[in-house]
C-alpha cells in the first residue's frame, strides 16, 4: 500500500497535538480510495474528529487491516473497510448500502478514488481512457446516487469530490484525467443544485500537486513522455505549475474538508475550491 509517508505524518500529528473540534463526533463517513495518499489522510483527519469511517481501496489485505485497526484504536472510533472496486457500479452501491446497514446513517461521502495515465492522445490506450473515466468520474456518480436518498431523508449531508487543478485547467498528455476531473466539477454543480434545499451540500476540492504515490508514478511517466530526466520533470513540469514551488500537503486538504463538512460549511455549495498554491490563478 502506498501513502506511508503521508500516513506516518498524520499519525504523528495525532499523537502530538489536540485536533480542533469541528463538531462532527458521532457522524459516519465513507471515503473512497482511502488505502493510500490523500484519501487515507482525509480518513484519518475525519477519524480524529470522532467520525466513524469506512475505508475503501486497493492494496494488500494485511496492510489494510493494520491501517484499519490502527486508525480505530488511535481515534476511538469504529473504522470499517469495504473492498468495492470503483469500476463496478453494484459494488459502489454496496459500499454505501453496507455503511448504512452497519451504522444506520451516512453523513459524509468523500469521492476520492482516482488514477492517472500519461500519454499523448493519439497513443492513449483506449482501455486506460475507459478506466480513468470509470474510476475518476463515474464512480462519484454511483456513490452520490446511493448517498443522496439517506442524506435527504436525514435533512443533512455532505458530499465532497476530490477533483483537481486539472478539473479547471489542462496539461498535455493527461486527456482522460483532465476530461474526468472537468466532469467531476460539472457533476458536483448539478448535484449541488438538486439537493440544496434538503440540507445537503456537494462541493469539489481541486488540489494542485500533492506528493503521493499517484504523483510519484507520474514523474517517471512524464519523463518518458517528454524525453527528459525525472529531475527535470520535478523542476520544469510538476513544481513549475505551482507558484509556491511547494507541494500541497494532505493536512491542508484535510483542513478544507473538515470546514466543508462542518456546520460552518453549510452555505458552501456547488463550489470548486482550489488548493493549488496559486496554480489556477495564472
Ligand atoms: P493514490 O494513488 O495515493 O491513491 C489512490 C487511491 O484510490 C488508493 O487508495 C487506491 O487503492 C484507490 N483506487 C484506485 N483504483 C481503485 C479502484 N478501481 N477501486 C477502488 N479504489 C481504487 O493517489 P492520490 O494522489 O492520493 O489521489 C487521490 C485523489 O486525489 C485522486 O482522485 C486524484 O486524482 C486526486 N488528486 C491528486 C493530486 C496529487 O497531486 N496527488 C492532485 C489533485 C488531485
Amino acid at each position: 500500500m502506498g501513502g506511508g509517508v503521508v500516513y506516518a505524518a498524520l499519525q504523528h500529528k495525532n499523537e502530538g497535538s489536540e485536533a480542533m473540534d469541528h463538531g462532527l463526533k458521532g457522524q459516519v463517513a465513507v471515503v473512497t480510495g482511502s488505502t493510500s495518499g490523500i484519501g487515507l489522510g482525509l480518513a484519518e483527519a475525519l477519524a480524529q474528529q470522532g467520525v466513524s469511517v469506512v475505508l475503501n481501496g486497493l492494496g494488500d489485505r494485511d496492510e489494510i487491516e493494520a491501517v484499519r485497526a490502527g486508525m480505530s484504536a488511535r481515534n476511538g472510533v469504529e473504522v470499517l473497510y469495504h473492498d468495492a472496486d470503483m469500476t463496478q457500479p453494484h459494488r459502489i452501491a454496496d459500499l454505501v448500502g453496507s455503511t448504512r446497514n452497519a451504522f444506520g446513517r451516512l453523513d459524509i461521502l468523500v469521492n476520492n478514488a482516482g488514477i492517472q495515465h500519461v500519454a499523448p492522445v493519439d497513443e492513449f490506450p483506449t482501455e486506460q481512457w475507459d478506466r480513468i473515466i470509470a474510476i475518476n468520474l463515474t464512480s462519484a456518480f454511483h456513490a452520490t446516487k446511493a448517498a443522496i436518498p439517506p442524506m435527504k431523508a436525514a435533512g443533512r449531508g455532505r458530499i465532497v469530490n476530490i477533483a483537481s487543478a486539472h478539473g479547471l485547467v489542462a496539461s498535455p498528455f493527461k486527456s482522460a484525467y483532465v476530461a474526468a476531473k472537468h466532469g467531476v466539477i460539472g457533476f458536483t454543480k448539478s448535484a449541488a443544485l438538486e439537493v440544496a434545499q434538503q440540507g445537503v451540500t456537494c462541493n469539489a476540492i481541486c488540489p494542485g500537486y500533492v506528493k503521493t504515490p499517484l504523483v510519484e508514478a507520474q514523474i517517471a511517466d512524464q519523463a518518458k513522455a517528454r524525453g527528459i530526466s525525472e529531475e527535470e520533470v520535478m523542476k520544469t513540469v510538476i513544481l513549475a505549475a505551482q507558484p509556491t514551488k511547494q507541494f500541497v500537503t494532505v493536512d491542508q486538504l484535510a483542513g478544507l474538508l473538515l470546514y466543508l463538512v462542518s456546520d460552518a460549511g453549510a452555505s458552501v455549495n456547488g463550489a470548486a475550491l482550489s488548493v493549488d498554491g496559486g496554480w489556477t490563478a495564472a
Side-chain angles (χ1 to χ4, degrees):
M1 188 188 335
V5 176
V6 171
Y7 187 63
L10 282 153
Q11 214 169 331
H12 177 71
K13 190 179 165 232
N14 183 264
E15 283 157 10
S17 64
E18 276 295 308
M20 189 199 292
D21 184 1
H22 289 266
L24 305 172
K25 200 168 165 39
Q27 294 195 11
V28 173
V30 167
V31 184
T32 71
S34 47
T35 53
S36 170
I38 293 169
L40 179 57
L42 297 180
E44 179 75 22
L46 288 166
Q48 285 176 13
Q49 293 293 321
V51 175
S52 296
V53 178
V54 178
L55 299 172
N56 157 261
L58 311 176
D60 178 89
R61 283 303 171 102
D62 292 341
E63 282 185 45
I64 292 172
E65 172 51 24
V67 165
R68 187 206 63 74
M71 192 180 287
S72 174
R74 241 186 338 276
N75 299 294
V77 293
E78 205 163 336
V79 179
L80 304 180
Y81 167 72
H82 190 289
D83 68 356
D85 181 333
M86 289 295 116
T87 65
Q88 304 296 317
H90 69 285
R91 296 294 296 147
I92 301 169
D94 189 66
L95 165 63
V96 174
S98 302
T99 302
R100 291 179 63 196
N101 288 343
F103 295 103
R105 61 191 288 174
L106 173 62
D107 304 277
I108 300 163
L109 169 66
V110 182
N111 288 309
N112 166 81
I115 58 166
Q116 176 62 286
H117 186 82
V118 178
V121 173
D122 51 342
E123 293 170 20
F124 211 94
T126 301
E127 63 278 12
Q128 284 288 4
W129 171 278
D130 290 342
R131 200 167 162 73
I132 289 174
I133 298 298
I135 296 170
N136 295 20
L137 172 60
T138 311
S139 77
F141 157 70
H142 291 298
T144 303
K145 181 178 176 179
I148 279 178
M151 289 181 175
K152 272 163 73 168
R156 193 189 188 282
R158 295 286 188 270
I159 299 164
V160 179
N161 298 324
I162 306 304
S164 168
H166 280 124
L168 299 164
V169 296
S171 292
F173 312 122
K174 296 185 177 177
S175 55
Y177 187 89
V178 168
K181 295 298 187 180
H182 275 68
V184 165
I185 292 177
F187 173 67
T188 300
K189 292 180 187 176
S190 264
L193 294 176
E194 292 178 22
V195 294
Q197 292 182 42
Q198 274 96 24
V200 182
T201 68
C202 183
N203 291 288
I205 294 179
C206 303
Y209 280 104
V210 188
K211 206 154 190 254
T212 66
L214 181 137
V215 165
E216 277 157 9
Q218 276 178 69
I219 295 171
D221 290 349
Q222 283 274 9
K224 204 168 140 212
R226 292 168 187 264
I228 57 176
S229 72
E230 291 190 13
E231 207 169 288
E232 263 317 89
V233 169
M234 291 279 287
K235 219 164 60 189
T236 63
V237 182
I238 309 266
L239 291 179
Q242 243 156 247
T244 49
K245 304 296 173 204
Q246 289 183 7
F247 284 100
V248 173
T249 68
V250 176
D251 262 2
Q252 291 162 353
L253 299 177
L256 179 54
L257 173 74
L258 294 179
Y259 165 71
L260 288 174
V261 301
S262 73
D263 285 346
S267 289
V268 183
N269 197 23
L273 299 157
S274 294
V275 187
D276 63 5
W279 173 356
T280 51

